[in-house]
Amino acid sequence: MRIAWQLIVAIFLALNAGLIGGVDSRYAGDVCASALQQGGTLFYGLTLSPSGIDPHVNASSELGIPLRSVYDTLVYRVASSPEETAQQFVPGLAEAWEISQDGLTYTFHLRRDVKFHDGTPFNAAAVRANLERIVDPATRSQKAVFLLGPFHSVEVVDEYTVAIHLSAPYAPLLDGLSQVYLGMASPQALARWGADYQFHQVGTGPFRLEEYVPNDHLTIVRNDEYAWGPPIHAHQGPAHLERVVFRFFTDPAGRAIALQAGDVQVMGEIPPLDAVRLQQDGGFTIVPVPIPGQSLGLILNTQRPPLDDVRVRRALLFATNREEIVQTIFGGFSPAATGPLTAATFGHIDLPAEVVRFDPDEAARLLEEAGYVDSDGDGVRDRDGQPLLLDAVLMTWGSLPEVAQLIQSQWRSIGVQLRTRTLTYPAALEAARTGDYHLIPQNYAGGDPDLLYTYYHSSSTFNWTRAADAVLDDLLVRARQVSDAAARMELYAQAQKRIMELVLLIPIRDPVNLNGVSTRVQGLRFDAHGWFPILHDVRLQ
Amino acid sequence: MLVLVARRLVWAVFALWGITTLVFILLRVLPGDPARTILAASGASETAIAQARAQMGLDEALPIQYGRYLWNLAHGDLGRSLFSNRPVLVTIAEQLPPTFELAAAALVVTIVLGLGLGVLAARYAGSWLDRVTVGIAVLGVSTPLFWSGLLLIWLFSLVLRWLPASGADSWRHLVMPAILLGAVGAAPLVRVVRSNLLTILQTDYITVARGKGLPETLILLRHALRNALLPGLNLIGLQAGFLLGGAVITETVFARPGLGRVVVDAILWKDLPVVQGTVLLIAGIYIIVNLGVDLISIVLDPRQRET
């Protein structure tokens, strides 16, 4: 027994000794300095370990969080603001650009002072090499190629002028070109590394990729020659930080703890209840970043009875207390949504409050008008002997099971029974394809309102509403062909009104990325696409 | 002995073939189309999805896919991930070491704790020490890893600040996950070793040893333990499966790299070649470990050599 105790004491001492030289040593020396410093290493927690990180090939947002700082894009999007008609895009690697009258040709005039991290000069030929790689079927691009829309060809006009030709007008092109997935990579590195390029990425951005070890970490280091930052950066010249190390935290329950333990100083997607706690604890701030794109809502299958009746759909909308949901489940961090687009999306409009109001009495009245009464007294309305029973497909993300539980109880009070099935993502997509649902959640991010075309146009495979409305189709087609921003906005305003008139979805909330940030981190902002930090301006205290 | 080993090896190959076939069928019965899964967030057209499916070879009839899979497998080719397009073999080679490190460290903890506490509990059977030990063992079996893992992190990383909460950079990162996984794995071993020892301590040859006046501890360690080890050894073989499965959860809780997270992601996203490759590997390890356990028990127990 005595030996056992001695052993325990020895282990105890060994661990303590390890601590002194161990866990906190990487911060030693800068802990006391309260002034903003130049240099230093930031540890940043990602929430998903991407299967691949080549931005031309892969599609995850997580790859963009580090790589947004490795690549520059031809243009940059500025955040959506109330005066939306103002300039949406600012120069990046392109100093200026023109769009032809027919909307088919985009001509970019490139900066002449830009070098890739490997010394290769940036020019029109580099742009061509990048775009041609992306559209090559052998690349198997999962996202970038779709951002190019009806791409036809790319033409080197002169050394610093490049033209992109389209086969049909496509207004969202600039938005695509402002995303990291269309970041400009060194043609030399692309040619040299081929399929292994993701481990040897070379861009022109304020940081260069030092190392990527799948599932473990990804490190970027400062590019000391950086002198071509876009106007969205707060300062010009090289970045403040010396190095940023990204690690992967797939378990939501461990994220706040990793932050508190000092393993990272920035962590994305903190669960709302942990965010409340972190705020109270001190030492951390919560930076909620609204994500542009679709609001998180339940899409209604308008082909499947009884949801083919707009009165039933509207009744469900009025029976849903969104305010209760966002307060109970999201701690008030995530605002209640009012339509198909989040407030952070270009072209979003605030629909009149009565369109999406919470009004259970009116909901009950609409159901009665549609012929649904509780004839057998079991608490569930019925018509022709059929109970008003709806089937919702759910997925595990976004607290959807909890949201559905609340909705279940809200709808029960007006006599609607909701049955739920939680599926994996591939299985949910299969259910969506076959139409085997009354309600299904949909939430895809994007900076351009053209995503309404993808999710509501009758010809789109991702139109899970299964509605075919000629008015809406026409608005969405015209909106992607007009390049004038004000005219597009007007069309999208009408489209949003139309979607809610037809009640194609029940909007729930605007997704917000809750970032937990140590108070030692100064100047952290996120770009107009929401997910991506502007690390160039970040300093450590 | 050699015949025995050869027979077991042939059986192992058949078992592996059966498992791969089962996994192949199961994965294809489950709903979901990898091409659609990959392209959904990009709003691709149905045509583009069909093209991607063809590129992945998923548009072919199942027998053809199965035949190609077996043919490639026989040539040591596990295929490429549908999502990252990297060879499955490379991913496995990359992610196996940290998982192996965790499983091996946990196995040591399992054996030390399982035998040590089992012997202690048997030596002081009926005392408070016995009751506490068995109580902890029951608690260990019935507590989910992700919960006890978070408790450990809270205590050792946040309150005491002794150990790092996440990552796999040094031996200090290994301490908590290995102890957690090893301790939970030790729980059934404690109970088996204890009850076996208690049974053996009732037998005649132990009574003879006691009659000769040997000290109780010596009787326990030299005479009783060897016989009590055999069922424990078989259990350790079975625990290898638990350790690999538990590593999946442990890796997630402690944000460690490793095969576990690869497998979970691959199953959730239906990355067929990755699931097939990793299941084959895990089944292979399981079979080899149990083959090894069988051989060791033959060495330890002369009675088994005749069968």
Side-chain angles (χ1 to χ4, degrees), chain B residues 62 70 72 74 79-81 88 126 143 160 211 230 237 246 262:
Chain B
L62 276 191
L70 280 189
N72 290 340
R80 283 170 177 270
S81 159
V88 174
T143 314
L160 299 172
L230 278 173
V262 173

Side-chain angles (χ1 to χ4, degrees), chain A residues 72-84:
Chain A
D72 287 310
T73 43
L74 292 180
V75 295
Y76 281 79
R77 188 185 252 294
V78 288
S80 164
S81 65
E83 52 283 353
E84 305 251 44

Side-chain angles (χ1 to χ4, degrees), chain A residues 62-381:
Chain A
E62 273 70 14
L63 77 83
I65 293 173
L67 295 180
R68 175 71 267 191
S69 296
V70 170
Y71 292 99
D72 287 310
T73 43
L74 292 180
V75 295
Y76 281 79
R77 188 185 252 294
V78 288
S80 164
S81 65
E83 52 283 353
E84 305 251 44
T85 38
Q87 201 180 14
Q88 281 180 68
F89 297 97
V90 291
L93 293 175
E95 285 174 324
W97 57 91
E98 298 114 33
I99 305 168
S100 66
Q101 273 299 315
D102 57 8
L104 293 177
T105 300
Y106 286 63
T107 307
F108 296 90
H109 305 280
L110 308 177
R111 289 184 74 119
R112 291 154 189 257
D113 57 348
V114 179
K115 273 194 168 57
F116 288 102
H117 301 146
D118 62 359
T120 312
F122 169 75
N123 52 29
V127 176
R128 186 178 64 188
N130 273 271
L131 297 184
E132 285 180 347
R133 174 186 192 233
I134 289 164
V135 299
D136 182 353
T139 304
R140 297 192 185 192
S141 174
Q142 298 166 8
K143 178 160 185 150
V145 71
F146 301 101
L147 294 175
L148 288 171
F151 175 88
H152 179 266
S153 61
V154 53
E155 175 197 354
V156 174
V157 179
D158 63 44
E159 194 179 356
Y160 293 105
T161 310
V162 66
I164 296 176
H165 301 289
L166 303 176
S167 54
Y170 186 64
L173 181 67
L174 284 178
D175 178 70
L177 289 171
S178 76
Q179 296 192 38
V180 61
Y181 309 98
L182 295 182
M184 289 297 142
S186 160
Q188 272 209 340
L190 290 176
R192 179 170 169 206
W193 296 106
D196 261 345
Y197 173 72
Q198 64 165 330
F199 294 100
H200 308 277
Q201 302 190 41
V202 178
T204 61
F207 290 87
R208 57 188 171 78
L209 179 69
E210 185 181 66
E211 186 183 39
Y212 168 49
V213 181
N215 254 337
D216 190 48
H217 71 276
L218 186 157
T219 305
I220 59 176
V221 293
R222 179 169 58 206
N223 171 13
D224 287 320
E225 287 174 33
Y226 193 67
W228 43 84
I232 64 160
H233 286 176
H235 81 283
Q236 292 301 307
H240 297 308
L241 291 168
E242 169 71 34
R243 185 180 300 269
V244 187
V245 180
F246 297 86
R247 312 200 76 117
F248 310 104
F249 295 86
T250 49
D251 179 17
R255 288 180 198 150
I257 290 179
L259 203 55
Q260 288 176 300
D263 288 4
V264 292
Q265 290 113 39
V266 182
M267 176 72 83
E269 292 186 71
I270 302 273
L273 296 179
D274 285 347
V276 174
R277 189 168 51 78
L278 278 178
Q279 267 184 333
Q280 288 161 353
D281 283 3
F284 302 95
T285 48
I286 296 297
V287 180
V289 181
I291 305 298
Q294 283 185 301
S295 61
L296 197 160
L298 294 170
I299 298 289
L300 301 173
N301 182 350
T302 60
Q303 295 283 304
R304 187 164 166 191
L307 297 187
D308 52 347
D309 185 337
V310 69
R311 289 169 301 188
V312 177
R313 302 201 296 269
R314 185 161 288 116
L316 298 178
L317 177 64
F318 287 167
T320 308
N321 186 347
R322 293 164 301 130
E323 210 47 55
E324 184 187 34
I325 295 171
V326 298
Q327 289 305 331
T328 314
I329 299 169
F330 301 102
F333 281 115
S334 205
T338 57
L341 295 175
T342 73
T345 319
F346 168 76
H348 159 88
I349 55 159
D350 279 319
L351 289 157
E354 71 262 21
V355 175
V356 285
R357 68 184 189 272
F358 172 53
D359 187 347
D361 295 337
E362 177 63 8
R365 196 195 64 74
L366 283 166
L367 289 178
E368 258 148 54
E369 193 184 302
Y372 285 95
V373 286
D374 185 6
S375 62
D376 51 7
D378 65 349
V380 178
R381 289 171 189 270

